[in-house]
Amino acid sequence: MLTLLQKQVLYSGKKLRLELHHLEDESGRKVDREICAHNGAVVILPMLDINTVLLIRNYRYTVGHYLIELPAGTLEKGEDPINCAGRELQEETGYLAGRLASLGSFYASPGILTEKMYIYAAHDLEPTRQQLEPGEEIELQPTPWADAIAMVRDGEIQDSKTISTLLRYELFHRSSP
């Protein structure tokens, strides 16, 4: 077990904080850890019907190309994840969920990042209109469920939160049509 001796905040922005933690292990040896602190996020699995999932084609500046993903978004400080899921679904896809069901959570990259991702399945969708943030380039991509799973298998879907959510739903929550 490590004991925190000192924490330095190197950068604090809207979505994350970069920290350097100075620690001591049980034998008295000093170690440092670089931490990216994040409020957490949601990922939404929008089911248009029992056999169709609503994926998005999302331009990601950080990697320089479009990725096929599920809608997702960052939690505001103190925000309830289910409220964030409803908000992000509407903003990114233009759909309101009649029903949101929790599918659990996971840590995105716990070696350096505190971000916890909360997963919600969205059912009974009603169309409204997208409300994209400045700089967002999102295209809706309704996809047959079997094709979405094949896209994971074939490496066409490379986003880890989407892969994790699709496979979790497939293995533990989806009933055979």
Side-chain angles (χ1 to χ4, degrees):
M1 186 68 100
L2 297 172
T3 302
L4 178 65
L5 302 175
Q6 181 187 17
K7 176 172 46 172
Q8 292 176 274
V9 176
L10 306 174
Y11 171 80
S12 188
K14 279 178 51 176
K15 291 190 175 192
L16 60 89
R17 193 172 58 257
L18 301 178
E19 301 173 351
L20 180 59
H21 291 206
H22 302 284
L23 309 160
E24 185 176 77
D25 69 14
E26 292 172 349
S27 67
R29 189 174 32 188
K30 306 277 193 277
V31 295
D32 290 336
R33 292 287 188 267
E34 297 170 350
I35 308 289
C36 180
H38 189 280
N39 285 341
V42 297
V43 57
I44 306 104
L45 178 72
M47 299 300 296
L48 292 170
D49 60 49
I50 193 166
N51 291 312
T52 310
V53 61
L54 182 60
L55 297 173
I56 59 174
R57 187 170 179 265
N58 191 5
Y59 184 75
R60 291 297 188 173
Y61 173 81
T62 51
V63 295
H65 56 86
Y66 284 90
L67 294 178
I68 298 170
E69 305 178 7
L70 289 168
T74 301
L75 290 163
E76 301 292 333
K77 189 170 183 135
E79 184 178 25
D80 188 315
I82 198 167
N83 293 338
C84 182
R87 174 177 52 79
E88 289 291 342
L89 176 68
Q90 197 276 323
E91 288 176 4
E92 292 190 359
T93 70
Y95 281 89
L96 291 174
R99 181 170 49 98
L100 288 167
S102 175
L103 301 179
S105 63
F106 63 93
Y107 287 97
S109 183
I112 61 166
L113 181 61
T114 65
E115 180 181 33
K116 187 173 189 176
M117 304 224 45
Y118 298 87
I119 311 166
Y120 290 91
H123 300 280
D124 307 325
L125 302 180
E126 294 291 330
T128 60
R129 68 175 182 77
Q130 277 181 308
Q131 294 180 328
L132 299 178
E133 294 178 12
E136 283 186 320
E137 296 179 40
I138 295 175
E139 299 170 20
L140 302 184
Q141 190 170 325
T143 305
W145 183 261
D147 292 354
I149 297 302
M151 292 165 77
V152 171
R153 181 193 63 228
D154 297 340
E156 192 174 344
I157 294 177
Q158 297 185 324
D159 173 62
S160 65
K161 71 184 176 304
T162 300
I163 293 167
S164 177
T165 299
L166 290 172
L167 295 181
R168 179 179 285 205
Y169 192 75
E170 174 73 6
L171 290 172
F172 303 116
H173 299 279
R174 184 169 156 79
S175 55
S176 300

